[in-house]
Structure formats: C-alpha cells, structure tokens
Amino acid sequence: MKSLVIEEEIAHVAKLMKIDLEDHSAHIKRVQKMLEYFDILDRANVESEEIIRAIDKLEVNLTEDEFFLSPETIIQDSINFAEITSLIPGDPQNQPALNAIRRLRNEMIPSSFEGIPENQYKVYVGGTSAQVVDAVTMTDDYFPLVLGIVLMLSLFLLLLAFRSITISIASIIMNLLSVGASYGLLVLVFQKGFLIDIIGFQQVDQLEFWLPLFMFSILFGLSMDYHVFMLSRIKENYDQTRSTDNSVAFGLRKTASIITGAALIMVAVFGGFALGDITFCQSMGFGLGAAVRLDATVVRSVLVPSVMRILGRHAWYLPPWLEWIPNISIEGKQDTTVTSSD
C-alpha cells in the first residue's frame, strides 16, 4: 500500500513538472529527489471537536492545492499533539516552493482555524522550505539595520579622519555605487542570462537570498580600505600646499599602482570561485570580482578624483556645528624639530 502511495505521488509530481516518465526511468529518480517533506505541528487539545474539524479542513485545503501532495496526519492524544506531513514537489528553495509555504502560513492555516481562539492552539510549520522562508525573512529584516549601522559608523570615522563632511558623504556614495553596480551585473548575467553562454555560467531563476548582504559587507570593507589609503595621500599633500588640484594628482600618482595591484589580486582570488561548477560560488565570485574591478578602475581612478577636482576647496568643508570633532590626523603629527649638525 505504501509503495502504491509513493508511485501516485511521483506521478503527480511528474505531471506538475511536465515530465514524461515513460521516456526514461532516470526521470523517476529525479522526481523522487525533488519530493521535499514539510511538517505542520499542532499543539492543542486534539480531542476537541473544533480542533479536529480545523485539522480536517487543513487536510482538505492541502489536498485541493495542486502544489501539495496528499498529507499524512498523526495524532497523539496523550500529549495533545498533531503532526501533518506532506510533500512539496521540486527544489525546496525555488520560488514556487517558498510561495507555497507562505500561502500555507498566511491563508490555509488561518482559514482552517478560523473562529478558534489563538490561545487554544499553536501551529508550527517546518521543513527545508520553511527554514528558507524564515531565513529570507530574517535577512530582509536585518539588512536595513546592518546597512544603517555600517553607513553611520563609516560617516563618523571619516569625519574623524579627514574633518570634511563633503568627503565623508561622497566616499559613502562612491562605495555604494560599486556595490549597486555589482548587484545589477549579477541580475543581468545570472537571472537575465546576458552573455551567460559565452561566460559559461549557469542561469538561475533567483539569486541566493544571503548574497546581497554578504557582498555588501565584504565589498564595503574592501573598497573603504584603499579609499582611505588614497584620501590620506591627498590630504597629506593638501595640508602642505592647500591646492586641491595638485593634491588629487599627487594622491592618485602615489596610490594608483598599489590600488591596481591589490585589486588584481582580489579579482584573481574571486575569479577562482567564479570558475567553479557550484552556482552560488559562481555568482559570489563574479559579483565580488566585478565590483572590485569597477571600484578600482572607474570609481577610484576616475570618479573620486573628478569629483574632488570639481568640488575644489569645498571638498574639505566642515560645518561650524561640527567643529567639536577632534582634529585627528591619521598620518600623525609632523615633526617640526630641527636638529643641527656639527
């Protein structure tokens, strides 16, 4: 009987995914691997007629939904516990599976337990797809918080280092440009399939949910590192000459080769990930490598010097209400002591 149920489930999945099982027996193994279990755990008085009707209604909703297979229910009266197990066809991390879990939580369960006070039952939805949904929700909730904290701390530290509100804001905008450009390239190549056959990557329906936060954390730190390195050389010369044009040329001349060399090393390292066969490694390596290359060539070598030359003396503007910020030189104080020789 159990084998008959499994065969019916495989046939149902094959129908949903438009796979002809009569062509090749290998398709059967493929479908078997795409059956993802999820559990609905219900802690309530399972002997109550209201709870029993709600569980029955939930089973009916799952059966009527074409994306869920026929559920199996286990009720344990002794501990007031019910477990409903069903199967989701396909990749447990793809968008249809995640939408099915959201539909289950937001529509099916509330409608099944409608009219029953919430303090009389507690429903938990588990399984791989449910874990992914929870992880995506948590990442979406914390991403703005991480973004805000990193930007505010960067703004404050840049103000301490260079005592310029203009440079601090412009630096953050430039770094965000690099990150935003890498996001756009990832979508263009991996989701839209632009030149993907030539490059040799695998096209995906959606990128990994953790990738934007991961890339922002890595790229913002890397780009800010050699950005501060270049600005320190510019400010060093500006403090001596008070000429923005000469200072920008001096800073770019002193740091261009070092920044380019460091960027090439990072691009080579990230390129190693992109050359692999694992899709998320390809997207991660390509995104980080492309962002570093853009940041070192377009942003750091062209945009930053151009903006500073256009701003001129205004690049070092500090509002009067920020004069309380300590005058901290990241290069240290210049030793003006003159030693005499015999």
Side-chain angles (χ1 to χ4, degrees):
M1 180 65 181
K2 186 176 181 180
S3 61
L4 179 60
V5 173
I6 294 177
E7 290 177 1
E8 291 178 352
E9 291 173 349
I10 292 176
H12 180 66
V13 175
K15 181 180 179 182
L16 289 176
M17 303 183 67
K18 298 180 180 179
I19 297 176
D20 188 2
L21 298 181
E22 295 181 356
D23 289 346
H24 301 285
S25 59
H27 286 320
I28 298 179
K29 294 182 179 180
R30 176 189 173 193
V31 174
Q32 285 175 332
K33 292 180 180 179
M34 291 182 174
L35 291 174
E36 168 59 24
Y37 282 93
F38 78 93
D39 295 324
I40 304 173
L41 306 180
D42 182 10
R43 291 190 175 274
N45 183 8
V46 293
E47 295 181 351
S48 171
E49 293 184 1
E50 291 181 335
I51 298 298
I52 293 175
R53 285 197 299 268
I55 293 175
D56 292 339
K57 186 176 181 180
L58 181 57
E59 290 178 344
V60 172
N61 290 337
L62 290 171
T63 304
E64 292 178 351
D65 192 305
E66 66 174 1
F67 203 82
F68 293 97
L69 303 184
S70 299
E72 178 182 349
T73 304
I74 300 175
I75 297 179
Q76 301 181 20
D77 299 337
S78 59
I79 58 175
N80 289 328
F81 180 82
E83 180 180 5
I84 303 175
T85 303
S86 183
L87 292 168
I88 296 179
D91 184 356
Q93 299 189 27
N94 65 10
Q95 201 58 47
L98 303 184
N99 290 336
I101 294 296
R102 295 188 182 100
R103 189 166 62 252
L104 171 66
R105 286 175 168 174
N106 300 330
E107 299 176 11
M108 295 184 185
I109 293 177
S111 63
S112 300
F113 287 83
E114 186 178 4
I116 302 177
E118 294 184 0
N119 59 359
Q120 293 186 12
Y121 69 94
K122 188 67 176 178
V123 179
Y124 302 94
V125 179
T128 304
S129 298
Q131 292 175 359
V132 174
V133 170
D134 293 338
V136 171
T137 302
M138 182 177 294
T139 303
D140 291 343
D141 292 341
Y142 279 96
F143 185 77
L145 180 62
V146 173
L147 184 68
I149 292 175
V150 171
L151 295 184
M152 292 303 296
L153 283 177
S154 300
L155 179 64
F156 179 71
L157 293 176
L158 287 170
L159 283 172
L160 284 177
F162 301 105
R163 288 181 60 82
S164 169
I165 187 68
T166 310
I167 284 181
S168 302
I169 295 176
S171 300
I172 291 175
I173 293 175
M174 295 299 173
N175 290 338
L176 290 178
L177 280 176
S178 303
V179 178
S182 65
Y183 289 169
L185 285 174
L186 279 177
V187 173
L188 180 65
V189 174
F190 285 92
Q191 289 191 225
K192 303 300 182 181
F194 180 73
L195 297 179
I196 199 165
D197 294 332
I198 299 177
I199 303 175
F201 292 149
Q202 300 178 33
Q203 187 173 357
V204 295
D205 295 330
Q206 60 184 14
L207 297 169
E208 297 291 334
F209 66 89
W210 51 265
L211 196 56
L213 180 58
F214 175 82
M215 289 182 55
F216 169 77
S217 304
I218 298 296
L219 292 174
F220 202 88
L222 290 175
S223 59
M224 187 62 72
D225 182 32
Y226 47 80
H227 181 69
V228 171
F229 172 63
M230 183 181 69
L231 286 180
S232 64
R233 298 282 77 78
I234 295 176
K235 189 175 188 302
E236 175 187 359
N237 188 267
Y238 180 79
D239 291 339
Q240 297 175 357
T241 64
R242 293 295 168 180
S243 172
T244 302
D245 293 350
N246 292 336
S247 299
V248 171
F250 173 83
L252 190 61
R253 185 172 61 253
K254 290 292 184 181
T255 61
S257 59
I258 299 176
I259 291 176
T260 303
L264 289 176
I265 293 174
M266 287 187 284
V267 169
V269 172
F270 296 142
F273 288 97
L275 294 176
D277 295 329
I278 303 176
T279 305
F280 77 83
C281 286
Q282 291 179 348
S283 58
M284 179 189 68
F286 174 79
L288 292 174
V292 170
R293 184 174 180 180
L294 285 173
D295 192 80
T297 54
V298 178
V299 176
R300 218 58 58 191
S301 300
V302 178
L303 291 182
V304 173
S306 301
V307 170
M308 293 195 67
R309 288 203 61 180
I310 292 173
L311 291 174
R313 291 184 176 272
H314 297 290
W316 308 101
Y317 172 72
L318 184 69
W321 53 275
L322 288 178
E323 290 292 342
W324 58 269
I325 295 178
N327 189 359
I328 301 175
S329 175
I330 59 178
E331 296 299 323
K333 295 182 179 180
Q334 184 177 0
D335 188 5
T336 57
T337 302
V338 179
T339 57
S340 59
S341 58
D342 294 338

